[in-house]
Amino acid sequence: MSRSEILFQEAVELIPGGVNSPVRAFGSVGMTPRFIESAQGAYMTDADGKRYLDYVGSWGPMILGHAHPAVLEKVAEACRKGLSFGAATEAEVEMARLICRMVPSVEMVRMVNSGTEAVMSAVRAARGYTGRNKIVKFEGCYHGHSDAMLVKAGSGVMTAGVPDSSGVPAGATEDTLLAVYNDLPGVEKLFDAWGKEIAAVIVEPVGANMGVVPPAEGFLEGLRRLCTDNGSVLIFDEVITGFRLARAGAQEYFGVEADLTTYGKIIGGGMPVGAYGGRREIMEVVSPVGQVYQAGTLSGNPVAMAAGLAQLRYLDEHPEVYSHLGRLGETLYGGMKWFCAEQGLPCQVNYAGSLGCLFFTDRPVTDYASAKTADTKRFAVYFRHMLESGVYIAASQFEAMFLSAAHTEEEVQETLRIAQEALCRAFRKAG
Ligand SMILES: *Cc1c(COP(=O)(O)O)cnc(C)c1O
């Protein structure tokens, strides 16, 4: 048995499913997870000393690659000054200033400890601000695991084949209205029916938790218009897309501004951090200024702020990171798309910048229902070949691939070659 297998056997006795987040389990591909020992740049090394070229990047945060020296140095410096004070620090002011400068629609921001918390708090702020209760969410979009958001919530839930979570009372989701991603007329109907009761529309500006589903032309613009016309708050959940698609995230990439934006992943530089921010008049409903209560003992933690600040500053000062990621995405995802077309394989490749996904389906993937037509058994064969060839991708058909600044054109070309082999394997062709 490998060291990973031994650790997993011990882990399942002590931790539900052996993992502290379900997406880390390899159940849907019929394997046991690799335990990771260390990571550097674009590579991770597991407990058995096997090295992988990593396309998960801790599910998004590691946009500069693992253990980036600019981040590590600042974290070490912060650690020496003390791990937590439960009091205000200068780093929090700097973090807020940087986010507000990088993202024009964000005038005020509150730091929290995870994406889940960011969304939960943003939704509460939107409800407090509007005095309304209903929220529109899209099938297949994941907004963390708070009760109201656990309706048709994408990847982790999707792979397990469980439509909803038990333990969530019906009352907690009765104000959550479901819509179909990219179906603007459907959202218009919801506004016709509920108009002045809708506090907010929350959306992933690129769906990245049902595989990758980019917004159709006019979709985000349409949501913007509907929210403005009805006095509802438009929330972009940029926990994945923020500071990834562009300096100012999806809002810059697509040219549509949100009223509130939620962040996580990248803004922590690998530490557990989230944030929500937006228009001043909305953010001023949050306590202690306003009546919407939201708090956090470790929020704005100095070590976490040091990591996040170092990474965001690097991104702010190195716009070439985004052109590099765009080129790599074109090579990798564009290359996969071309190969599938040339070989006549029933696959779809969806991508936006550094995010991409290969779906094993002959139908274009534009929403949750079309994503679900993917053949997860074929994906499992593909996944196994990738992993055994040293390419670490998410163990689920319904997750994105994440490129980082540490990946090179050569590494990506090699991955493309391995992906072609894996595809041939999955379709049992000589490769
Ligand atoms: C990961 C994710 C979240 C939840 O963030 P956590 O830090 O895991 O709680 C919320 N929204 C989106 C879009 C995400 O991808």
Side-chain angles (χ1 to χ4, degrees):
M1 257 202 298
S2 71
R3 182 89 189 117
S4 280
E5 283 165 331
I6 293 166
L7 285 169
F8 187 63
Q9 270 193 356
E10 292 171 9
V12 290
E13 297 299 322
L14 301 165
I15 305 168
V19 290
N20 278 315
S21 189
V23 296
R24 297 177 200 169
F26 279 31
S28 74
V29 292
M31 296 171 78
T32 55
R34 298 293 179 270
F35 280 66
I36 301 303
E37 182 87 21
S38 65
Q40 181 70 57
Y43 291 88
M44 292 204 298
T45 304
D46 74 9
D48 295 283
K50 188 168 161 60
R51 218 162 82 106
Y52 303 91
L53 185 52
D54 177 27
Y55 288 96
V56 176
S58 193
W59 305 94
M62 313 319 292
I63 192 170
L64 300 180
H66 294 282
H68 193 280
V71 177
L72 290 191
E73 194 186 310
K74 292 294 176 188
V75 168
E77 211 174 277
C79 283
R80 281 191 292 270
K81 294 182 184 168
L83 298 185
S84 178
F85 316 123
T89 60
E90 185 172 349
E92 293 162 273
V93 186
E94 285 175 28
M95 180 65 123
R97 190 186 291 126
L98 185 59
I99 294 172
C100 293
R101 188 163 64 68
M102 288 175 82
V103 188
S105 73
V106 177
E107 295 171 335
M108 280 188 126
V109 62
R110 170 63 65 81
M111 303 308 299
V112 293
N113 304 289
S114 70
T116 295
E117 249 187 276
V119 169
M120 190 183 76
S121 311
V123 165
R124 187 178 300 153
R127 284 173 164 162
Y129 173 72
T130 57
R132 306 174 183 179
N133 287 336
K134 303 238 176 273
I135 301 290
V136 175
K137 116 169 246 302
F138 295 89
E139 289 181 10
C141 282
Y142 180 64
H143 302 297
H145 63 94
S146 67
D147 284 356
M149 293 296 123
L150 274 184
V151 191
K152 293 270 169 77
S155 55
V157 195
M158 220 165 152
T159 302
V162 183
D164 287 308
S165 170
S166 70
V168 175
T173 56
E174 71 185 13
D175 286 319
T176 308
L177 305 171
L178 272 185
V180 171
Y181 201 81
N182 279 327
D183 175 21
L184 196 56
V187 184
E188 278 163 2
K189 282 205 192 95
L190 288 178
F191 271 100
D192 287 343
W194 303 101
K196 303 297 174 211
E197 289 180 55
I198 296 176
V201 173
I202 183 163
V203 66
E204 284 183 75
V206 171
N209 285 285
M210 47 174 158
V212 172
V213 180
E217 186 90 39
F219 177 60
L220 298 176
E221 291 83 349
L223 297 181
R224 176 66 278 174
R225 181 171 34 78
L226 283 170
C227 284
T228 304
D229 291 351
N230 290 279
S232 307
V233 176
L234 179 60
I235 307 176
F236 275 3
D237 183 350
E238 295 224 46
V239 170
I240 283 185
T241 55
F243 307 102
R244 174 168 287 278
L245 290 183
R247 253 174 97 265
Q251 324 203 9
E252 176 181 336
Y253 196 79
F254 297 109
V256 179
E257 287 200 340
D259 299 309
L260 287 182
T261 307
T262 55
Y263 293 108
K265 301 187 172 125
I266 284 181
I267 57 163
M271 300 293 278
V273 179
Y276 65 105
R279 280 166 44 204
R280 182 178 304 277
E281 58 172 333
I282 305 177
M283 291 305 290
E284 282 184 339
V285 302
V286 176
S287 57
V289 190
Q291 299 301 311
V292 171
Y293 195 70
Q294 185 268 309
T297 302
L298 294 174
S299 293
N301 171 270
V303 182
M305 291 305 97
L309 254 178
Q311 177 150 280
L312 289 189
R313 275 198 183 121
Y314 189 96
L315 291 169
D316 186 38
E317 289 160 12
H318 295 84
E320 74 278 7
V321 165
Y322 295 104
S323 41
H324 176 67
L325 290 173
R327 274 194 305 276
L328 293 181
E330 208 43 67
T331 301
L332 183 60
Y333 311 130
M336 286 176 166
K337 199 179 179 104
W338 177 86
F339 181 78
C340 292
E342 196 222 25
Q343 298 286 314
L345 301 176
C347 291
Q348 311 296 320
V349 182
N350 282 0
Y351 61 104
S354 60
L355 297 167
C357 181
L358 168 70
F359 290 98
F360 286 82
T361 174
D362 57 0
R363 289 182 50 182
V365 176
T366 58
D367 58 16
Y368 180 72
S370 47
K372 279 215 308 191
T373 63
D375 183 340
T376 53
K377 291 209 181 63
R378 261 195 228 290
F379 173 82
V381 179
Y382 171 84
F383 172 83
R384 181 182 285 270
H385 184 85
M386 295 290 271
L387 192 74
E388 284 169 358
S389 308
V391 178
Y392 190 95
I393 60 172
S396 163
Q397 165 70 90
F398 307 110
E399 299 287 359
M401 284 177 85
F402 297 88
L403 284 158
S404 83
H407 288 79
T408 66
E409 188 67 30
E410 294 70 40
E411 285 162 344
V412 162
Q413 288 284 0
E414 176 61 7
T415 301
L416 185 56
R417 193 189 60 72
I418 294 167
Q420 291 173 355
E421 276 174 16
L423 276 163
C424 292
R425 198 62 73 90
F427 289 100
R428 292 201 181 74
K429 288 192 181 181

